[in-house]
């Protein structure tokens, strides 16, 4: 399960909870919840979804509001959380995925490789739409134009990274 959390403001971005099936030869979405709710409430939704899928690894984007979601998940006793890794592959004590100027190109490349190789099976039309929203700016950075969304796409990219690192990232 991957999560791109948002603040839960009316008219703001959606929080996305994506459930992925990850096998050696395939990678596909099983379910997705797009919800506008406060971060503390989002954590309860994550636990409810996780309980329906035998408590899989949950990778939450920990930037900004994600820290609160992760804190609440730990309060709720959910222990199978993605742990960060160094560039050298060492597990850190940081829970969750950190999207940064360094990691964003890596996660997009990992997802793109899975799609282009046919390993990722994408049946979610909204994800396909958001894949088309992401563009390169003048500096070659991936950006999403104003008034367009990338929350489902970011959750998919986090899933690609968690899948790559799955053998090293189980916590709890």
């Amino acid at each position: 399960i991957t999560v791109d959390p948002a603040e839960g403001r009316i008219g703001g971005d959606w929080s996305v909870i994506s459930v992925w099936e990850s096998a050696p030869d395939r990678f596909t979405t099983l379910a997705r919840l797009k919800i506008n709710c406060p971060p503390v409430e989002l954590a309860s939704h994550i636990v409810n979804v996780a309980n329906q899928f035998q408590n899989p690894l949950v990778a939450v984007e920990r930037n900004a509001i994600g820290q609160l979601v992760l804190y609440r998940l730990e309060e709720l006793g959910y222990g199978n959380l993605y742990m960060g890794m160094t560039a050298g592959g060492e597990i850190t004590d940081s829970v969750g995925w950190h999207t940064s100027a360094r990691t964003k190109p890596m996660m997009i490349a990992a997802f793109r490789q899975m799609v282009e190789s046919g390993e990722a099976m994408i049946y979610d039309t909204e994800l396909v739409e958001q894949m088309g929203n992401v563009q390169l700016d003048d500096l070659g950075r991936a950006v999403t134009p104003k008034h367009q969304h990338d929350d489902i796409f970011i959750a998919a990219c986090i899933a690609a990274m968690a899948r790559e690192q799955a053998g090293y990232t189980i916590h709890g």
Side-chain angles (χ1 to χ4, degrees):
I1 293 178
T2 56
V3 183
D4 182 13
E7 294 177 358
R9 289 182 291 120
I10 295 173
D13 283 339
W14 294 91
S15 290
V16 173
I17 303 169
S18 291
V19 181
W20 293 84
E21 178 184 32
S22 183
D25 61 340
R26 75 184 170 283
F27 180 67
T28 190
T29 47
L30 297 177
R32 176 180 44 82
L33 176 63
K34 186 171 85 169
I35 188 168
N36 191 349
C37 65
V40 171
E41 189 179 312
L42 179 62
S44 295
H45 289 292
I46 294 166
V47 171
N48 288 338
V49 170
N51 287 339
Q52 294 177 38
F53 290 92
Q54 288 103 31
N55 301 311
L57 178 70
V58 173
V60 176
E61 183 180 47
R62 72 174 181 249
N63 302 31
I65 208 71
Q67 293 284 357
L68 179 57
V69 174
L70 287 162
Y71 177 77
R72 182 68 180 138
L73 283 169
E74 289 179 335
E75 276 187 340
L76 293 171
Y78 197 83
N80 196 7
L81 298 172
Y82 174 89
M83 299 298 293
M85 294 183 80
T86 66
E90 297 294 320
I91 297 172
T92 70
D93 60 355
S94 298
V95 180
W97 172 262
H98 180 68
T99 301
S100 68
R102 182 184 66 81
T103 63
K104 191 171 186 178
M106 293 168 41
M107 60 196 261
I108 291 172
F111 182 67
R112 181 179 188 166
Q113 186 277 328
M114 288 181 192
V115 170
E116 289 177 351
S117 72
E119 194 176 333
M121 308 298 234
I122 309 298
Y123 303 105
D124 184 334
T125 56
E126 203 168 357
L127 170 56
V128 171
E129 178 184 321
Q130 288 191 9
M131 288 165 64
N133 289 345
V134 179
Q135 303 170 2
L136 295 179
D137 68 9
D138 294 338
L139 299 174
R141 296 176 301 202
V143 296
T144 304
K146 195 171 188 168
H147 304 298
Q148 292 186 351
H149 296 278
D150 66 358
D151 37 31
I152 299 167
F153 175 69
I154 293 298
C157 292
I158 294 168
M161 292 305 294
R163 182 175 194 261
E164 272 190 12
Q165 300 172 358
Y168 307 102
T169 55
I170 305 300
H171 171 69

